[in-house]
Amino acid sequence: MKICIYGAGAIGGYLGVQLARAGADVSLVARGAHLAAMRERGLTLLAGEETHTVHPRCTDNPAELGVQDYIIITLKAHSITGVIEKMQPLLGPHTRIVTAVNGIPYWYFYKHGGQYENSTLESIDPGGRQWREIGAERAIGCIVYPATEIEAPGVIRHVYGNNFPLGEPSGEITSDVQRLADLFVAAGLKAPVLDRIRDEIWLKLWGNVCFNPISALTHATLDVICTDPATRALSRAIMVETQGIAETFGVKFRVDVERRIEGARKVGAHKTSMLQDLERGRPMEIDPLVTVVQEMGRLTGIATPALDSVLAMVTQRARIAGLYDGISAPTDPRALAVA
């Protein structure tokens, strides 16, 4: 089974080590100092008291790797469109694309049913390029729950978690998704195959859509956001708007708003990924975590005043810092009205 991990950063590197240790034929696409270190010394995973080093094939030129059975995309979602052409040599007639990314994936409305079937979303897939050129029909959904970080070039530290729920857009338990799940389990990971993968996508996004931009604006950690009355109330307002949109698309939430906020509070003094990106001078995932929810609200005719305000502010914050390269979110309240 040939697997390419496209974007072998913290999560991609963690997966690469675990899958290689399980015997998979793993290739990693990376760049810069991280790639150079992996080529020279291998890829090392620090997990608790254990240290594991593997020596998978590593490259910044996907054309060297040939056709793959699975491509696991672990890039930041806003980076995917920029690598579509480089990804083409990896694609064969039976290649599956596993979207291990935050937020709404490009294939969301594939085999969705109803009036939105086969719709594309401009905020995450400008011009529908991912849908057409990678192929929605190739997609397998994947939600990433572990926390990992690059400790040094070529060295990944596992902080917590090993859960990667998987699912076909159609909800079927196909041989492709089952084979992948079995490999993940053999690699010491949890990989439940879900028949409603979109529910799980929204459950994770439910927190990201509010906690991430609020943290980037306030520099507060999760425990502070969820206990301060003002930021907790703002988070709740955005989550209520988001829930209304998701339920319009048939999504079912297995917890309520208060339980979801409490779950985040219990994580403690954790910096969200958006705040970490801001502090490190990296582009923030505004569009796949926030703008896309606004776009889906407009699609359904549901107003999102709380989300609109926070999105306008965090987008401006990112522009000032030179960390925004997504679509242009309107700030004029008249432009935010749903026609």
Side-chain angles (χ1 to χ4, degrees):
M1 188 186 304
K2 297 184 69 175
I3 297 178
C4 174
I5 297 176
Y6 208 113
I11 286 295
Y14 171 56
L15 279 172
V17 172
Q18 296 297 84
L19 294 175
R21 292 179 63 218
D25 181 359
V26 177
S27 300
L28 307 180
V29 177
R31 63 184 181 180
H34 189 51
L35 172 60
M38 290 192 292
R39 282 173 163 168
E40 181 179 351
R41 300 184 295 273
L43 176 60
T44 297
L45 174 65
L46 308 178
E49 300 299 317
E50 298 182 0
T51 299
H52 303 286
T53 299
V54 298
H55 296 270
R57 188 181 300 108
C58 303
T59 185
D60 57 0
N61 179 14
E64 298 175 353
L65 304 177
V67 171
Q68 303 290 305
D69 295 306
Y70 297 90
I71 303 170
I72 303 177
I73 299 178
T74 50
L75 296 167
K76 293 290 183 70
H78 56 254
S79 302
I80 298 174
T81 298
V83 301
I84 289 175
E85 292 181 6
K86 290 184 177 181
M87 201 177 291
Q88 295 305 308
L90 303 173
L91 300 174
H94 304 294
T95 303
R96 301 301 305 270
I97 300 288
V98 184
T99 50
V101 297
N102 279 328
I104 300 293
Y106 76 93
W107 53 262
Y108 187 85
F109 287 115
Y110 178 69
K111 294 198 173 179
H112 180 274
Q115 70 183 99
Y116 302 107
E117 174 85 14
N118 294 334
S119 297
T120 59
L121 294 160
E122 191 67 16
S123 55
I124 56 170
D125 186 16
R129 286 193 61 201
Q130 294 178 50
W131 184 288
R132 295 192 314 274
E133 298 175 42
I134 299 176
E137 73 283 355
R138 298 182 188 274
I140 292 175
C142 177
I143 295 93
V144 176
Y145 282 115
T148 58
E149 57 190 35
I150 298 178
E151 182 151 302
V155 181
I156 307 296
R157 179 171 293 279
H158 176 255
V159 181
Y160 65 81
N162 66 345
N163 193 21
F164 293 88
L166 302 170
E168 293 276 6
S170 66
E172 300 171 272
I173 310 298
T174 64
S175 58
D176 284 349
V177 74
Q178 191 61 60
R179 283 176 66 212
L180 185 64
D182 291 345
L183 178 59
F184 273 39
V185 171
L189 308 171
K190 295 179 181 177
V193 178
L194 307 181
D195 59 1
R196 294 180 59 88
I197 190 69
R198 293 176 183 83
D199 290 0
E200 199 73 15
I201 288 171
W202 280 96
L203 184 63
K204 184 177 182 186
L205 179 60
W206 211 14
N208 285 338
V209 69
C210 56
F211 302 139
N212 271 271
I214 290 172
S215 71
L217 291 168
T218 64
H219 289 249
T221 52
L222 280 180
D223 55 338
V224 174
I225 293 171
C226 296
T227 53
D228 177 84
T231 52
R232 184 181 178 109
L234 180 56
S235 298
R236 189 182 193 285
I238 294 172
M239 291 174 77
V240 168
E241 292 173 358
T242 300
Q243 182 174 4
I245 295 166
E247 289 178 345
T248 299
F249 295 118
V251 171
K252 297 179 180 179
F253 290 84
R254 52 185 168 84
V255 299
D256 61 20
V257 171
E258 292 302 321
R259 184 175 171 187
R260 182 67 178 85
I261 294 174
E262 278 300 292
R265 182 188 64 79
K266 291 176 182 177
V267 172
H270 173 71
K271 293 182 179 181
T272 70
S273 60
M274 198 176 284
L275 176 55
Q276 291 180 47
D277 285 343
L278 175 63
E279 292 180 341
R280 294 170 184 171
R282 301 186 304 205
M284 296 185 285
E285 290 184 287
I286 295 173
D287 289 339
L289 300 184
V290 190
T291 312
V292 68
V293 179
Q294 181 192 69
E295 182 180 359
M296 294 173 89
R298 292 173 176 175
L299 193 63
T300 59
I302 295 176
T304 54
L307 183 146
D308 293 345
S309 297
V310 168
L311 175 58
M313 289 187 287
V314 77
T315 301
Q316 186 65 15
R317 177 72 180 86
R319 286 192 176 121
I320 291 170
L323 302 177
Y324 185 71
D325 56 3
I327 70 167
S328 188
T331 54
D332 184 340
R334 291 169 297 179
L336 296 172
V338 176

